[in-house]
Amino acid sequence: MKLALEETYVPFAKMMMPGLTRLTESWMPDVIVNDCITFGGALFAHKHNIPCVTTTPVPPDVMGDTEKVPLKSGNGSKTSSKTCKKK
């Protein structure tokens, strides 16, 4: 993991900074959404006091067969996972 951080992720985050700076000179986002691997967006957001959300995409089947698992809606009733997919 240390090798990946030092040789890939950190250099990539550094490469993103000038572009993010140029972007926010003409437009200030309400929030920055970034991937967990390309964390340059999160670092930039923190440095410039912009709210940030980090996504961690995973294949749908990582949690098992979600098509067969009923999900509960906010009111406690069961909802088909086909209409309310887990993200």
Side-chain angles (χ1 to χ4, degrees):
M1 184 63 164
K2 181 180 176 189
L3 181 64
L5 282 170
E6 291 176 353
E7 293 188 8
T8 305
Y9 306 140
V10 170
F12 190 66
K14 288 179 181 179
M15 290 186 319
M16 292 174 64
M17 294 302 146
L20 290 168
T21 299
R22 282 192 307 276
L23 174 67
T24 57
E25 287 171 352
S26 60
W27 174 73
M28 184 56 67
D30 294 325
V31 65
I32 291 179
V33 179
N34 68 282
D35 184 82
C36 62
I37 293 175
T38 56
F39 55 85
L43 293 172
F44 185 86
H46 177 73
K47 183 177 176 182
H48 296 280
N49 295 316
I50 301 170
C52 178
V53 176
T54 299
T55 64
T56 306
V58 295
D61 58 36
V62 168
M63 301 300 289
D65 188 357
T66 57
E67 290 296 319
K68 295 180 182 176
V69 178
L71 301 175
K72 289 195 174 196
S73 67
N75 63 11
S77 64
K78 289 187 178 184
T79 306
S80 166
S81 62
K82 291 181 182 179
T83 58
C84 181
K85 294 219 183 248
K86 199 172 188 180
K87 292 184 180 184

